[in-house]
Amino acid sequence: GESVGLHLPTLSVQEGDNSIINCAYSNSASDYFIWYKQESGKGPQFIIDIRSNMDKRQGQRVTVLLNKTVKHLSLQIAATQPGDSAVYFCAELKGQGGKLIFGQGTELSVKP
Amino acid sequence: NAGVTQTPKFQVLKTGQSMTLQCAQDMNHNSMYWYRQDPGMGLRLIYYSASEGTTDKGEVPNGYNVSRLNKREFSLRLESAAPSQTSVYFCASSPQGPGAYGYTFGSGTRLTVV
């Protein structure tokens, strides 16, 4: 079956360092892959998405890389700040108005 | 604009009781979704409504029913609550276009079944 999963459940980094959060997917014909940030007591917040025909997409301080050969997705956060502390989920989206399928999540902790 | 509003924010039920979780969005989105999130896990889709008048099962529909009351509102009903339904429930909506930029989540309903 299909699955979207994360390699590491927790990640701790120093403020100012770069963070890399990884995600694996399998057997998917999804159109988009998305990264969400979820702070305690809140719903997921969209960070960035990438189409299946792209390898890289950049946003403000964030970059998503997609490696279709090994079915791997990563989120890079530059100059990580305490406000970046949260749980990060990858998800896949199938088609227009399609359903989001979420991975397990990685908890990012930023030490001052 | 409020985005996606869920009520209640917290609820405690006894096993066998019923209740309805309410969700409303003010973004004129076509599609709406109900997810549950258990500790240490990602969100799992319970039911969704691609457009007004339609509903479909997601990954974990057993024990739940939904109603797409109108374009704005999508409710989730537990007819006979069980401890396994203790979870945080999130409603979401999307404009049914390409990409996930417009996918918006509510702040969640924390449900405990004792």
Side-chain angles (χ1 to χ4, degrees), chain A residues 31-32 34 36 38 40-47 49 51 87 89 93 95-105, chain B residues 31 33 35 37 40-45 48 50 57-59 90 94 96-101 103 105-108 110:
Chain A
D31 298 317
Y32 289 88
I34 308 100
Y36 282 91
Q38 186 177 26
S40 180
K42 297 184 179 179
Q45 178 184 4
F46 175 92
I47 300 173
D49 64 359
R51 293 192 67 166
V87 178
F89 293 96
L93 181 68
Q96 293 189 9
K99 303 166 288 184
L100 280 177
I101 300 175
F102 284 82
Q104 182 180 10
Chain B
S31 302
Y33 312 82
Y35 288 86
Q37 185 175 30
M41 296 183 66
L43 282 70
R44 292 183 292 169
L45 184 65
Y48 68 103
K57 295 179 180 179
E59 302 169 78
F90 288 98
S94 71
Q96 204 174 30
Y101 184 76
Y103 221 105
F105 286 84
S107 58
R110 188 173 297 274

Side-chain angles (χ1 to χ4, degrees), chain A residues 31-97:
Chain A
D31 298 317
Y32 289 88
F33 297 90
I34 308 100
W35 282 101
Y36 282 91
K37 174 185 180 183
Q38 186 177 26
E39 296 174 294
S40 180
K42 297 184 179 179
Q45 178 184 4
F46 175 92
I47 300 173
I48 191 168
D49 64 359
I50 185 169
R51 293 192 67 166
S52 57
N53 62 354
M54 300 171 65
D55 297 321
K56 180 179 180 178
R57 191 174 185 201
Q58 288 183 294
Q60 186 177 10
R61 282 201 308 118
V62 295
T63 300
V64 55
L65 299 177
L66 178 62
N67 186 331
K68 292 179 286 295
T69 302
V70 296
K71 296 182 179 176
H72 184 267
L73 186 72
S74 68
L75 177 70
Q76 300 178 1
I77 304 174
T80 312
Q81 303 168 0
D84 294 326
S85 294
V87 178
Y88 289 81
F89 293 96
C90 64
E92 58 177 312
L93 181 68
K94 297 181 180 180
Q96 293 189 9

Side-chain angles (χ1 to χ4, degrees), chain B residues 63-91:
Chain B
Y64 305 95
N65 286 300
V66 291
S67 295
R68 183 73 183 268
L69 304 171
N70 47 56
K71 192 172 186 179
R72 290 187 63 249
E73 298 173 287
F74 188 38
S75 63
L76 178 71
R77 182 162 180 84
L78 287 70
E79 290 291 351
S80 179
S84 61
Q85 294 179 304
T86 294
S87 189
V88 181
Y89 291 84
F90 288 98
C91 178

